[in-house]
Amino acid sequence: MFILQPLGTSIIQLNCFGSLENLKNALFLGAGPTWFAAWLLIFNSIYAVTDHSAAAGSIVKFPSLIKLLLILLGFHGLDILTLSIGGAFGFMPISFGSLPFDILFFYSGTVAKNSGWLAEGENSIFSKMDGFRPFLYGMFVLTFGGILVGSVVMFATGWVEDPNDAFDPVSKVGPYAWLFICLPPWLIIYFASLVMLDFFRMCFNFTTPATANLAGAAYGAYIIHPIFLDIFTGIFVRIYETANDDTIFFVGSNTTSTTELIDGEYWLWGGWAGLNCVTVCMSFLAAYLFRQYVPGAKKVL
């Protein structure tokens, strides 16, 4: 927090304004790191409670598929409640309405480990899916496709003219918008969770030295990736400006720009793909090297 935040802010100021005139503002802690640290403590507390609250050796049975669907429906009701509250609470901890499901999946992950939900046996998730796999996979594709098509239709037909209006589509679409908002997410959370677990178990259930190193570096990569994203975004801006003899303007103290790019579609999509690839690769490499060569790093990252 005390190193990455000032460093990241300084890089952003150099990218946007070409100077460090407001460097003093970079010395303060930003909301991002402190927000992350606070929620890390909260979920660590939840983990400590759920991990040790049950007696040693106790097994929690995985619910039937119907019961699981009803449980998720109840949590989706809480999800809609957090959306209706809005403000900072509605946004916690990552996106609008994510809090109930974050808590549910965090708790479920702990129980799954202790009760063998992901292992082979009668109490596993996969035994409950026997005989239903074609239906579950088909519903996942159908539900995901429905959300994708619905989103495209909403924007293409002018139901949502401004992307910022997507959080209040009722005024544009009418009362049926709530059906679009509430039903597909609930179903896709259900089907996607089961399908992805089953798919990765069948296709990627192995460990190699490379995957072990990637898994070990994943948390560190998550922590440090903004630094690399800031650096490579600045490089992208300079490459664009040099190649097109154009300037991307940042007005006032804004770190976002409304400048219309020349051949904007190619530059934006190409920049998005390139920045993602190089940022992910460098973040994992740096996190791996940090864990390997800094004494005690593996105990905290």
Side-chain angles (χ1 to χ4, degrees):
M1 287 191 293
F2 291 99
I3 297 176
L4 295 182
Q5 175 68 24
L7 179 59
T9 305
S10 301
I11 294 171
I12 291 173
Q13 289 186 10
L14 284 173
N15 291 342
C16 298
F17 314 116
S19 68
L20 295 175
E21 294 180 0
N22 297 318
L23 181 59
K24 61 180 181 180
N25 296 328
L27 301 180
F28 295 97
L29 288 179
T34 49
W35 179 277
F36 173 79
W39 279 102
L40 188 63
L41 291 174
I42 291 173
F43 279 97
N44 277 346
S45 300
I46 295 173
Y47 174 80
V49 172
T50 56
D51 190 40
H52 302 291
S53 59
S58 63
I59 300 297
V60 178
K61 291 186 177 181
F62 186 76
S64 66
L65 296 183
I66 296 297
K67 187 176 181 180
L68 177 63
L69 185 64
L70 295 176
I71 292 172
L72 291 178
L73 177 61
F75 272 84
H76 195 53
L78 295 175
D79 184 33
I80 296 172
L81 179 61
T82 59
L83 281 171
S84 64
I85 293 174
F89 181 80
F91 192 76
M92 292 189 292
I94 296 176
S95 184
F96 288 101
S98 65
L99 179 59
F101 283 104
D102 285 337
I103 295 175
L104 173 64
F105 288 129
F106 197 95
Y107 172 78
S108 299
T110 302
V111 175
K113 172 66 175 179
N114 294 339
S115 301
W117 287 1
L118 301 179
E120 300 295 336
E122 296 181 359
N123 198 39
S124 73
I125 295 173
F126 314 112
S127 65
K128 298 291 194 299
M129 296 176 63
D130 291 340
F132 296 97
R133 279 183 175 80
F135 170 75
L136 294 172
Y137 276 74
M139 287 301 298
F140 165 71
V141 173
L142 180 63
T143 309
F144 183 82
I147 293 178
L148 180 62
V149 171
S151 300
V152 172
V153 168
M154 287 180 70
F155 286 98
T157 59
W159 284 358
V160 181
E161 299 174 358
D162 186 335
N164 293 324
D165 291 339
F167 292 110
D168 186 25
V170 178
S171 61
K172 298 284 184 179
V173 186
Y176 293 106
W178 284 112
L179 182 63
F180 172 79
I181 293 171
C182 298
L183 186 58
W186 163 52
L187 293 176
I188 200 169
I189 288 172
Y190 174 73
F191 291 115
S193 299
L194 295 173
V195 167
M196 285 192 293
L197 285 171
D198 190 56
F199 177 77
F200 276 88
R201 176 185 68 95
M202 293 188 297
C203 300
F204 299 99
N205 190 21
F206 60 85
T207 301
T208 66
T211 60
N213 288 329
L214 287 173
Y219 182 60
Y222 169 70
I223 296 295
I224 65 175
H225 82 272
I227 298 298
F228 291 102
L229 183 60
D230 295 339
I231 293 173
F232 293 121
T233 298
I235 294 174
F236 166 77
V237 170
R238 300 296 176 263
I239 291 175
Y240 167 82
E241 292 179 337
T242 302
N244 294 280
D245 193 22
D246 191 19
T247 301
I248 297 178
F249 291 99
F250 297 90
V251 180
S253 60
N254 292 326
T255 55
T256 58
S257 175
T258 58
T259 302
E260 292 288 338
L261 303 186
I262 300 172
D263 295 326
E265 289 292 325
Y266 298 103
W267 279 100
L268 288 176
W269 283 107
W272 172 81
L275 286 174
N276 272 289
C277 291
V278 71
T279 297
V280 169
C281 292
M282 290 303 300
S283 298
F284 270 91
L285 177 61
Y288 167 76
L289 294 175
F290 185 81
R291 281 169 49 86
Q292 287 294 112
Y293 298 107
V294 175
K298 290 185 178 181
K299 295 182 179 180
V300 294
L301 290 176

